[in-house]
Amino acid sequence: ELPPSHFPAARAAAVALGYLRYLRGGPGRGLELRALRRARRQDIDDVGHKYYLELELEDVLDKDRTVSCTAEVLYGLGSNSSAPDVQITVQGELSSTEEADKEFYNRIRSLEKELVAENIPDSHGNVPPELEPIHLLAWAASGYVIWQNSTENTKFHLAQVKHVKQLKRSDEDLQFDYMLLLHEMVSQEVIPWEVAVLWHPQRGARVCRD
Amino acid sequence: DQVLHIVPETFQQVQHLQLLCSTLMLDLWKPLVPEDVRAGEDLHIRIPAPLVQEVKDSLDQHMISYRVLIPDVQKLVDQSMPRERSSHRQVSGGYVYTEYHPMEEIYQWMTQIQKNNSELVTQHFLGKTFENRTMYYLKISQPSNKPKKIIWMDCGIHAREWISPAFCQWFVKEILQNYKSDPKISRFLQNLDLYVLPVLNIDGYIYSWEKDRLWRKNRSPYENGTCYGTDLNRNFNSSWGSVGVSFNCSSDVFCGSGPESEPETRAVAQFIKSKKSDILCYLTIHSYGQLILTPYGSTTKPPSNSEELMQVAKEAAAALTGKYGTSYRVGSTALILYSNSGSSRDWVHTIGIPLSYTFELRDTGTHGFILPADQIQPTCEETM
């Protein structure tokens, strides 16, 4: 059993959140960690450390409700490990984003010129409302990067979207090339990371290049 | 700019108006294009201010009657836009505490604060930064014949943590606005002096405004000027260089060339040492994380007065949560966050100051260092 307020559990929770943001996040849904309720760790010989977590999440667009979920995060042994293995079960339903997704999709598809933006948020924390979906999609993209690159000695957060450029595609997906700035808590470094993301209302977000 | 309403009566008038619009490139609001101007139908055009007289003269000349629909377009725009600044504009000489301020304005603010509250506040020289800027602290002290203990608070040791200096400024404002009316504050000041350093890492703070919003360290050069900045919160003489640091200048936790190698560190350390026996409590304000951290970072072995430290911290966290429900975690850095050495808070405790805390203000990662200005007020109110 681990104290939820201590860093080992907190770091595993950040990985679980990243994974879930990638899987379920998008222009209409930004998931945030409200609380880490409970954490346990199991040391598995020759395999690694497995964390069992009980989390409470909220959707930043719908802060009045929370969603509980359980997660398992398995960090492999050795410094050349691949990404942590994450399983998440969400109890209950996340609010539907169908309307918002459709509106965003149509708006972007009808742009004459490809969307380009930088510094989201700006130095004072402002995000223009029309860029908020782009910001939330960046969260989903950062979730992938965070999940893939975390270890027990790191804790990543998205600090800022430095740059984003839309790439027009001939198929039905939207594509955005992001330059993300990730803050790593233990080293305190701010690390630039290029990620290309595809998104579609039914198919969700997929990282195509990282 | 003005918007005129015209109803052209003849074809000649229509032609003239069309010519006027195209030659002067006037902004047609109704109809949308000159080709659609018709006799007997409404015409609304916006005339830029410098052209208003010329256009009116021309209309008069051609006997085209008009009515001013909007006498001042800008005024209407201003009225219909939500004000950027918070409606809780704090009027202390007009300084807006719900916005982030660049260093120039903070210097001016300190001068004003002392001027407007000279019976209580004095501004003092602490030292100089690497780039030779002056570090000032404010002393808030009620004149009395009693010797008083000191509470020290510094903000902005890390450049990118903008909410921290914003809090120091808010704190000073709150104390000065309420010390006469609020019995808690007035009792406080009867027994304690408050020393507030609004920005410790001035060079870094300026750099985060002008060049790199996410800069953390100071701006002293290393390796022949090819690399900049020491993490001031790894530079103090508390297990310096032992854990949670880098000896490489390019790292964000570079601990400097030795303990107190940086002028900013020395300025603070010298002062605290000189007042050591009078300082009751040391507070250093950071972001983000929503944490109240106690010594130590370099070891999980608890300090001698850890029970008292934890109890006070827990009460503070509870009071904070009581305001807006924001939850803070409490504990030692080594358990809650990570291992580190050379922090100001740890050093202060090792020289004998009993209550020493690091506050990590909002939030927990949603915005991180780039906390929106509209959260300045609630963050400061709950922390107060």
Side-chain angles (χ1 to χ4, degrees), chain A residues 4-8 10-11 32 60 121-125 139 157-160 181 183 185-190, chain B residues 100 160 162 209 213-214 216 250-253 288 329 334-338 364-367 369-373:
Chain A
S5 60
H6 290 192
F7 68 74
R11 290 177 193 175
E32 189 48 83
V60 294
D122 67 15
S123 286
H124 295 247
W139 276 20
H157 291 277
L158 176 64
Q160 194 183 36
L181 295 179
H183 172 230
M185 188 66 84
V186 180
S187 64
Q188 287 296 331
E189 298 296 330
V190 172
Chain B
Y100 295 115
R160 57 196 180 198
W162 285 16
W209 270 78
R213 175 61 177 85
L214 295 170
R216 168 181 169 86
S250 50
S251 163
D252 260 322
V253 291
Y288 56 95
R329 292 181 283 149
L335 290 174
I336 300 282
L337 207 49
Y338 43 51
T364 53
T366 308
H367 299 93
F369 299 119
I370 313 187
L371 193 69

Side-chain angles (χ1 to χ4, degrees), chain A residues 26-119:
Chain A
R29 181 186 291 136
L31 294 167
E32 189 48 83
L33 181 65
R34 176 81 78 87
L36 174 59
R37 294 260 168 251
R38 202 176 154 207
R40 281 171 348 182
R41 193 181 96 179
Q42 183 191 17
D43 293 344
I44 308 177
D45 285 341
D46 298 325
V47 176
H49 299 154
K50 191 169 187 184
Y51 290 75
Y52 296 83
L53 309 168
E54 285 173 27
L55 310 161
E56 205 178 303
L57 304 173
E58 71 183 19
D59 184 342
V60 294
L61 299 175
D62 183 15
K63 286 196 196 189
D64 292 331
R65 49 199 288 286
T66 61
V67 170
S68 298
C69 73
T70 55
E72 289 172 15
V73 178
L74 171 59
Y75 295 100
L77 289 172
S79 50
N80 286 327
S81 305
S82 47
D85 196 337
V86 185
Q87 317 272 350
I88 290 205
T89 312
V90 178
Q91 268 101 46
E93 290 288 309
L94 296 171
S95 41
S96 165
T97 59
E98 211 180 302
E99 280 293 308
D101 285 350
K102 204 165 71 165
E103 200 208 290
F104 173 72
Y105 184 74
N106 290 336
R107 174 160 68 90
I108 301 294
R109 292 278 279 195
S110 64
L111 291 176
E112 273 177 27
K113 284 202 328 188
E114 286 91 345
L115 184 145
V116 174
E118 49 183 31
N119 293 336

Side-chain angles (χ1 to χ4, degrees), chain B residues 120 140-142 148 151 170-194 384:
Chain B
L120 208 56
I140 303 175
S141 174
Q142 203 149 43
K148 278 177 273 150
I151 299 196
W170 182 284
F171 179 85
V172 168
K173 177 259 301 178
E174 276 298 304
I175 299 285
L176 296 177
Q177 268 180 0
N178 300 308
Y179 76 97
K180 287 189 188 138
S181 53
D182 184 325
K184 260 193 278 190
I185 300 182
S186 111
R187 208 182 61 192
F188 226 69
L189 290 180
Q190 276 161 30
N191 301 304
L192 294 164
D193 286 345
L194 300 170
M384 199 75 202

